[in-house]
Amino acid sequence: MAKKSVASLQTGSKRLTKAIKMVKSPKSGAYTFVESVMAPDKVNEFLAKK
């Protein structure tokens, strides 16, 4: 029987956002996904940097 887990990103008064972006590997040329949990005001900086 499968279990289902639900994760909440809102802990107390702190609000967090999970950002996911695709990054192309310089070695193989394949795309990988980079995930990070951060404050909502930091998301644009995370997505803008390479």
Side-chain angles (χ1 to χ4, degrees):
M1 186 172 221
K3 290 185 179 180
K4 182 179 177 185
S5 64
V6 177
S8 175
L9 293 178
Q10 295 180 1
T11 57
S13 64
K14 210 181 243 189
R15 187 163 180 209
L16 300 173
T17 303
K18 182 176 184 180
I20 304 171
K21 70 176 177 177
M22 276 182 22
V23 178
K24 189 171 185 176
S25 173
K27 285 187 196 175
S28 64
Y31 285 95
T32 59
F33 292 96
V34 177
E35 299 181 13
S36 181
V37 177
M38 65 196 78
D41 55 342
K42 304 284 184 183
V43 173
N44 288 334
E45 295 173 18
F46 173 73
L47 295 175
K49 68 179 177 180
K50 291 188 176 187

